[in-house]
Amino acid sequence: MRNLFDHPAPRRVSPAEYPLWGRALGLLNRDLAATLPDQEPLQLLALPPYDANEPENVHIALANGEWHGNHLYPESADDPAVALAVVADAAQETVTERLWQAWPLCAEHGLGMHPRDADGQLSWWCAGERSRHGPAHVRAAAGALDTLVRPHRPNRENRRAS
């Protein structure tokens, strides 16, 4: 057992050590690259436990090793859907708090989105109003923000000719 004031040295965790968290983080890193292209990928970072009988505490951290928030709950490493939801929450908290900006933003509304289950798939949800589709919408599945295609809008030249 260590003294409570001793700060353990964190270690970078290979995604293979926690395969479901690693896969989930891979999806979230796709969203990070699509929305914040200058930001390096997030990583799994572990702190040894204070009590030798406890598991290590794994966090989602920026590439520089900074993180914010609670560690990932060990039980979440056993279920793909739960792992993705927990990693998405932790990634969003780390990016938002360490970079001081909402992430990810809805390109349509400029609002921060939140992970929510949509028809059995974790998706980025936006609270922004859509006139025909109601007060909120799902922007994309987690890991799919890079696949969004902007709707085609006719250019002004074509509109004037009509």
Side-chain angles (χ1 to χ4, degrees):
M1 189 140 129
R2 287 195 316 260
N3 183 336
L4 287 176
F5 298 107
D6 290 342
H7 295 289
R11 72 175 181 88
R12 188 173 181 154
V13 176
S14 162
E17 288 182 62
Y18 298 98
L20 293 181
W21 287 344
R23 275 187 249 140
L25 187 58
L27 288 173
L28 276 289
N29 274 327
R30 286 179 54 182
D31 289 344
L32 186 71
T35 56
L36 296 175
D38 294 335
Q39 188 63 41
E40 293 182 51
L42 300 168
Q43 63 177 321
L44 295 171
L45 197 69
L47 294 172
Y50 282 101
D51 185 344
N53 298 325
E54 295 293 321
E56 64 186 353
N57 294 318
V58 180
H59 296 267
I60 302 298
L62 297 176
N64 67 5
E66 294 179 344
W67 78 90
H68 186 87
N70 294 326
H71 61 87
L72 303 176
Y73 298 104
E75 301 81 30
S76 70
D78 299 329
D79 180 284
V82 174
L84 181 56
V86 168
V87 170
D89 281 337
Q92 184 175 44
E93 186 167 359
T94 291
V95 171
T96 299
E97 292 296 329
R98 301 315 283 167
L99 300 180
W100 286 88
Q101 66 183 70
W103 177 80
L105 290 179
C106 174
E108 185 177 342
H109 296 104
L111 298 173
M113 296 186 286
H114 301 281
R116 295 242 171 117
D117 182 87
D119 298 323
Q121 183 173 32
L122 190 72
S123 299
W124 292 112
W125 176 85
C126 172
E129 284 195 32
R130 300 180 102 180
S131 57
R132 294 188 314 222
H133 297 55
H137 64 103
V138 170
R139 186 75 180 144
L145 287 175
D146 63 341
T147 63
L148 293 176
V149 178
R150 294 181 189 258
H152 176 71
R153 295 183 181 158
N155 65 33
R156 293 180 187 185
E157 299 298 321
N158 290 343
R159 283 192 279 168
R160 286 186 199 146
S162 306

